[in-house]
Amino acid sequence: MSSEYQFRIDGPYKPSTIPMNRLAEYMAALADLLGEPAAVHFEALREGSAVLVATIDPPAAPKVQGRIRDVGRGDGPQDARRAFRQLDDLLARDNATGQLTGDANNVIEFPGVTRPQPVKFGPFKQEGTVEGRIVRIGGTDDSIHVHLRDGAVTLSAIETNPTLAKELGRYLFDSVVRLYGTGTWIRTEGGAWELRRFKATRFEVLDDAPLAEVVKALKAVPGNAWGEEASPVATLLDARAGRETH
């Protein structure tokens, strides 16, 4: 005899009112959650708000049961946990909650619309710095926009005045600079800090020469002890990490 799982959508839908494309989204995510695609079958859409019923072929039932049990504990394979999030996101968008019930008292609650909402903080305005290589300067009014690239990240919400922009233009593409000014930041729902606006008032050019070249230049300065270091690069790295050298 086949096993049966029921996914209940407690929200605004009934079988006669749920849009077909939304039903298809729920069915696809539920199929991913249950796994064993060849052995999982759609049985019915029942009343009470809307209940998706799936049956599992007997040979696959223990695997599905274990998979659902693990997801209910916050564990399980990555694709199953992703399917849980997809179902919960659908419920949240539909102003609904959900529940999956099955064999052996397997029950998973889906908080949906009732789950805690991530908190956004800000905006905060404070003095600070940003740095990177200048990749673009442009604008036609009193507020000139500057784009800095720091690795794979490009900061584009930077403004300055025409006088400073003209000075910065000398270092376009060639040098790494540090801009000083006032920034407006927010902390996103994911916990990352995002720059919304930065008003630059002054800058300095940073030396981005390789460490080996810096050490070579230090050793060439008369009267210092760097020439006596067996491994000056390691000494610099140890000092930066706060380790004592002997």
Side-chain angles (χ1 to χ4, degrees):
M1 182 176 178
S2 299
S3 303
E4 183 178 284
Y5 282 83
Q6 298 184 9
F7 179 73
R8 178 183 301 275
I9 303 170
D10 289 318
Y13 296 133
K14 298 187 297 183
S16 60
T17 62
I18 185 169
M20 183 178 291
N21 60 349
R22 180 60 99 201
L23 176 61
E25 291 182 88
Y26 277 111
M27 290 179 64
L30 179 59
D32 289 341
L33 177 63
L34 296 173
E36 302 298 318
V40 175
H41 311 282
F42 174 69
E43 177 71 16
L45 181 63
R46 297 175 183 164
E47 296 284 347
S49 301
V51 182
L52 280 70
V53 182
T55 57
I56 316 296
D57 293 341
K63 292 183 179 179
V64 174
Q65 179 179 327
R67 181 181 174 94
I68 296 305
R69 182 177 59 249
D70 290 343
V71 173
R73 295 171 177 170
D75 199 1
Q78 182 177 354
D79 64 322
R81 298 196 306 271
R82 182 170 57 247
F84 173 90
R85 291 192 297 270
Q86 290 173 339
L87 284 168
D88 203 49
D89 287 344
L90 287 168
L91 291 166
R93 291 200 294 270
D94 289 338
N95 199 33
T97 60
Q99 184 185 74
L100 178 69
T101 58
D103 295 331
N105 296 317
N106 256 341
V107 178
I108 299 180
E109 300 289 345
F110 292 79
V113 70
T114 65
R115 68 189 181 191
Q117 296 299 310
V119 180
K120 180 187 293 185
F121 297 98
F124 301 102
K125 182 177 289 188
Q126 63 179 23
E127 299 292 321
T129 64
V130 292
E131 56 187 60
R133 192 177 302 277
I134 306 172
V135 294
R136 182 181 178 187
I137 300 174
T140 57
D141 52 20
D142 291 337
S143 181
I144 308 299
H145 294 269
V146 179
H147 292 200
L148 296 184
R149 182 168 296 158
D150 182 10
V153 177
T154 299
L155 301 176
S156 58
I158 303 170
E159 301 175 10
T160 191
N161 56 68
T163 301
L164 191 62
K166 186 175 181 180
E167 296 179 29
L168 288 169
R170 298 165 50 196
Y171 304 100
L172 186 63
F173 301 119
D174 291 331
S175 301
V176 176
V177 299
R178 176 179 294 135
L179 301 180
Y180 295 82
T182 302
T184 301
W185 303 80
I186 64 166
R187 187 177 182 184
T188 66
E189 291 90 340
W193 286 98
E194 182 179 298
L195 180 63
R196 287 299 179 88
R197 186 184 182 208
F198 191 87
K199 184 71 172 181
T201 56
R202 62 186 180 93
F203 76 99
E204 65 177 332
V205 179
L206 303 180
D207 187 353
D208 60 345
L211 183 57
E213 292 184 15
V214 174
V215 171
K216 183 178 179 181
L218 286 171
K219 292 174 69 174
V221 177
N224 70 74
W226 284 105
E228 302 172 6
E229 289 284 347
S231 180
V233 172
T235 300
L236 279 173
L237 293 176
D238 285 340
R240 184 175 183 179
R243 297 188 290 267
E244 293 185 0
T245 57
H246 303 282

